[in-house]
Amino acid sequence: MKNSLFIFWILLLIPFFCFSQKSSFQGRVIDDKTKDPISFVNIGVENMPLGTITDDRGFFSISNIRNDNNLVFSCIGYKSKKLSFDELSNTKIIALT
């Protein structure tokens, strides 16, 4: 009985750990028209108190984000852009207009 209960709990928790994996992402933010890097862009995780900014060459790195999170890129003079983790997985360069 104890063994079957233990196995039940293990099987119940496996999907929780599989779907709650955290990842990191690195990329660069550029101006869509000039292709120049944009410094100090705010990058936030939607509905979470987690974020970062780009450096003076437009590069950034963010970690401890879940695969179901969205990142929001915002900077004065540019339209904000919201991208899902799946969309970010396809590109390392984010262009703001």
Side-chain angles (χ1 to χ4, degrees):
M1 179 67 178
K2 283 186 178 183
N3 285 341
S4 61
L5 187 59
F6 178 74
I7 291 172
F8 169 76
W9 281 108
I10 294 296
L11 292 175
L12 184 66
L13 293 176
I14 286 174
F16 173 75
F17 290 114
C18 291
F19 292 110
S20 66
Q21 293 178 358
K22 294 186 178 182
S23 302
S24 62
F25 183 79
Q26 297 150 356
R28 190 172 196 194
V29 181
I30 62 169
D31 184 287
D32 191 36
K33 291 181 183 176
T34 66
K35 307 302 182 209
D36 291 331
I38 306 174
S39 304
F40 310 112
V41 175
N42 293 308
I43 303 157
V45 180
E46 189 175 47
N47 300 323
M48 293 187 70
L50 179 65
T52 189
I53 60 170
T54 59
D55 64 11
D56 58 338
R57 296 172 301 159
F59 290 102
F60 71 94
S61 177
I62 190 166
S63 56
N64 293 326
I65 56 174
R66 294 192 328 246
N67 295 351
D68 62 343
N69 287 135
N70 294 322
L71 292 184
V72 179
F73 298 83
S74 62
C75 187
I76 295 174
Y78 293 91
K79 290 182 184 177
S80 294
K81 188 175 219 177
K82 178 169 53 169
L83 297 171
S84 70
F85 192 82
D86 291 335
E87 292 171 311
L88 290 169
S89 299
N90 297 331
T91 184
K92 297 286 183 189
I93 298 176
I94 293 88
L96 296 182
T97 56

